[in-house]
Amino acid sequence: MSTVYLVGAGPGDPGLLTLRGRELIEQADVLIYDYLANKEFLSFARPDCEIIYVGKKGGDHTLPQDDINTLLVDKALEEEGRMIVRLKGGDPYVFGRGAEEAEELVEAGIAFEVVPGVTSAVAAPAYAGIPVTHRRFASSVSFITGHEDPTKEGSAINWGALAASGSTLVFFMGVKNLPTIAAKLMEHGMRPDMPCALVHWGTTCRQRSFVSTLDSVAEEAVALGFKAPSLIIVGEVCSLKETLDWHELKPLLGLGVVVTRSREQASELTSKLRELGACCHEFPTIEISPLPDDAPVREAIAKLPGYDWLVFTSVNGVEGFWDVLDDMGLDARAIGRAKVAAIGPATATALCSRGVRPDLVPGQYVAESVVEAMLREGMNGKKVLIPRAMVAREVLPDELAKAGAEVTVLPVYETKLADEDPSDLLAALEKGEIHFVTFTSSSTVQNFFTRITPEVFAPYREQVKLVCIGPVTAKTLEKLGFTPDVVAGEYTIPGLVEALVASIT
């Protein structure tokens, strides 16, 4: 029998998905997700997973609830032994209609499990600096729908009890009905100056919030352009926002940043930017591929005892070299007497993780600095092996050869133009959602402007800052007719992030 898993996707922050939720997404045969589930989670699914969007937002249902219920049953009965994951924003049973879906599955005799998620009722206020309970202000909290079932004969909400309860009140799906909600609470005795807050897209990089009073909140929400999805919080705890706010103090909150690194390498930069509040748009321009024939690498490894220096110019070079080394049943001992140079700290870290501490890491992380440092070591007559990309700058091998070294350039991987559809990124540019594009190598510059030509990008240039990891990348950008707005002083990912943040502060 197939099993359907009703999985809570959490409130939006990717870090708030449960471990069980991720595990099930990774194993799913069919993944059915809605509007409030973070689309980033789709990347966890297997390549052969069938992915179906059934998004529902106010007044715009891709698929009505009855049809979603039928879809879950149909997919479970379509084939035996499959795993169907229904990914729902927040928690499936907290105003998520998960219970209705579960009832349909029970009626059809289909096995199901529920995986609770972090509900936005708690998470969104917390990210806005509002605890839903506090010993000084509220000893209870009530979760209320702001949009009841329209087919019911009357309201199930006891406004008098809510107004008199002293609880923190958290309303879901209530922005359209905010004037009515505020009026009902005041009509039943809640004081007009009771603190009231709205949190829009809580826990995400798009979060906005404000605190008002019950008698003014509806008017202010319209003036500030607050729409769904937004939570309404009513209670004295809202007065703590100014003291306890933290998420909205992040320096890059709401700013769209394009990450052009390869998909395999994007995570480090993306995670650092997200920690600072950025909305990251991954647009990989490079694809890292192993060589179709690794025989030359095997031959070079067999001759390692004859080399005086190994020079690694990237993490990819380390990984490509070590993949073959491992496949040959060898380890770091194969390097023997050779000294090892790394172009920068990331490459050095990659070597250290494989048991090799570099003998040389230059002060500046470009090929020219590697050359300068190695020349001080004396290169005349030295045999140098440089594992690198198939196509790369020739500064390093050329200058070492001029100094009398016998240089062997060893391609251990190749970079290709990534086949990434630019339509989503172009749509984000058109909406004004992109504020920075980051470039971490000359290849990312060249490939970005191959996918989105300079002529197409030009109309957006004033709204978008171009950020380069160092001067070599900046020069490549200038050759294409664009002046970089930010060039990192330290040619590393942390240095790039630091320079980006400094440009807006």
Side-chain angles (χ1 to χ4, degrees):
M1 180 182 292
S2 293
T3 303
V4 176
Y5 297 84
L6 306 177
V7 177
D13 182 339
L16 297 182
L17 176 69
T18 64
L19 292 174
R20 176 63 170 157
R22 176 165 181 162
E23 177 185 82
L24 289 170
I25 294 170
E26 290 172 341
Q27 298 174 26
D29 296 296
V30 181
L31 179 62
I32 300 169
Y33 74 103
D34 66 22
Y35 174 64
L36 292 177
N38 193 320
K39 288 176 71 174
E40 182 179 323
F41 299 153
L42 305 185
S43 66
F44 301 152
R46 302 192 324 249
D48 63 339
C49 177
E50 181 183 0
I51 297 176
I52 304 171
Y53 175 61
V54 293
K56 298 195 308 175
K57 54 183 176 177
D60 179 14
H61 291 196
T62 300
L63 206 63
Q65 185 62 52
D66 286 346
D67 290 347
I68 293 173
N69 297 346
T70 302
L71 177 66
L72 291 173
V73 172
D74 289 347
K75 286 297 173 184
L77 295 175
E78 205 170 77
E79 191 177 328
E80 290 186 358
R82 295 205 300 174
M83 180 180 288
I84 320 296
V85 172
R86 169 69 168 112
L87 194 60
K88 301 174 70 66
D91 178 90
Y93 280 2
V94 180
F95 299 117
R97 303 189 72 173
E100 296 170 48
E101 295 174 3
E103 287 174 314
E104 290 284 335
L105 295 169
V106 170
E107 189 174 329
I110 294 165
F112 77 96
E113 291 185 19
V114 178
V115 179
V118 177
T119 175
S120 59
V122 173
Y127 273 53
I130 301 170
V132 291
T133 64
H134 190 284
R135 290 185 66 167
R136 197 161 68 245
F137 296 123
S139 299
S140 59
V141 57
S142 298
F143 300 158
I144 312 117
T145 178
H147 180 73
E148 291 188 90
D149 183 348
T151 63
K152 290 196 304 187
E153 289 188 6
S155 173
I157 298 175
N158 187 333
W159 294 101
L162 291 176
S165 67
S167 288
T168 300
L169 309 180
V170 181
F171 290 88
F172 289 70
M173 304 168 290
V175 177
K176 284 186 179 178
N177 296 328
L178 183 53
T180 301
I181 291 169
K184 286 285 187 184
L185 290 172
M186 288 188 288
E187 179 186 321
H188 286 83
M190 187 172 282
R191 67 179 205 267
D193 66 348
M194 175 66 74
C196 184
L198 258 69
V199 185
H200 178 64
W201 278 115
T203 79
T204 74
C205 64
R206 300 162 64 185
Q207 178 177 306
R208 292 193 299 147
S209 62
F210 74 95
V211 175
S212 182
T213 54
L214 197 57
D215 59 350
S216 302
V217 68
E219 186 178 335
E220 285 192 48
V222 172
L224 294 171
F226 271 66
K227 297 178 181 179
S230 295
L231 278 183
I232 303 162
I233 304 112
V234 182
E236 296 287 1
V237 290
C238 296
S239 63
L240 292 167
K241 175 176 173 57
E242 188 174 345
T243 303
L244 300 181
D245 210 352
W246 59 276
H247 185 65
E248 290 172 52
L249 302 181
K250 293 185 174 185
L252 300 182
L253 188 72
L255 297 179
V257 184
V258 178
V259 176
T260 57
R261 302 189 94 193
S262 68
R263 201 173 297 283
E264 297 83 3
Q265 293 180 306
S267 58
E268 181 190 1
L269 178 54
T270 297
S271 64
K272 290 182 183 299
L273 292 168
R274 279 198 180 133
E275 279 295 310
L276 297 170
C279 297
C280 292
H281 300 256
E282 290 191 357
F283 184 69
T285 59
I286 293 176
E287 214 170 79
I288 308 297
S289 302
L291 297 177
D293 179 12
D294 65 6
V297 183
R298 290 174 177 270
E299 289 174 17
I301 289 173
K303 298 174 182 176
L304 277 177
Y307 287 99
D308 299 292
W309 280 91
L310 266 70
V311 183
F312 292 93
T313 57
S314 69
V315 172
N316 290 323
V318 175
E319 291 176 347
F321 184 81
W322 244 266
D323 283 346
V324 180
L325 196 73
D326 286 342
D327 195 54
M328 294 173 67
L330 301 173
D331 57 26
R333 289 171 294 181
I335 292 173
R337 66 180 182 85
K339 290 186 175 181
V340 178
I343 197 168
T347 306
T349 299
L351 286 165
C352 287
S353 71
R354 290 159 174 84
V356 177
R357 191 178 297 277
D359 300 282
L360 186 153
V361 181
Q364 290 190 310
Y365 315 133
V366 290
E368 288 82 352
S369 296
V370 178
V371 170
E372 187 179 331
M374 291 187 70
L375 291 182
R376 289 197 293 268
E377 299 283 330
M379 287 291 110
N380 190 37
K382 300 295 183 183
K383 294 188 70 175
V384 180
L385 180 66
I386 306 177
R388 65 169 211 185
M390 178 73 76
V391 178
R393 295 175 70 219
E394 300 299 330
V395 171
L396 181 57
D398 287 354
E399 292 301 314
L400 291 177
K402 286 179 187 177
E406 184 183 331
V407 181
T408 300
V409 171
L410 178 66
V412 294
Y413 69 97
E414 59 182 331
T415 59
K416 301 177 181 177
L417 175 65
D419 186 22
E420 192 74 11
D421 183 353
S423 55
D424 286 348
L425 183 56
L426 288 169
L429 283 164
E430 186 64 31
K431 293 175 187 174
E433 295 173 352
I434 304 299
H435 305 90
F436 296 91
V437 178
T438 61
F439 299 108
T440 55
S441 67
S442 291
S443 296
T444 60
V445 175
Q446 293 159 345
N447 290 359
F448 179 86
F449 287 107
T450 299
R451 283 278 171 242
I452 299 176
T453 64
E455 294 75 21
V456 170
F457 182 76
Y460 309 108
R461 179 64 181 95
E462 285 190 16
Q463 75 186 39
V464 179
K465 287 185 176 181
L466 303 178
V467 185
C468 294
I469 199 167
V472 174
T473 305
K475 284 178 183 175
T476 304
L477 187 61
E478 288 165 356
K479 288 177 183 176
L480 290 170
F482 295 104
T483 302
D485 299 284
V486 182
V487 180
E490 180 183 299
Y491 318 147
T492 62
I493 295 302
L496 181 149
V497 173
E498 185 180 341
L500 191 157
V501 172
S503 74
I504 62 169
T505 55

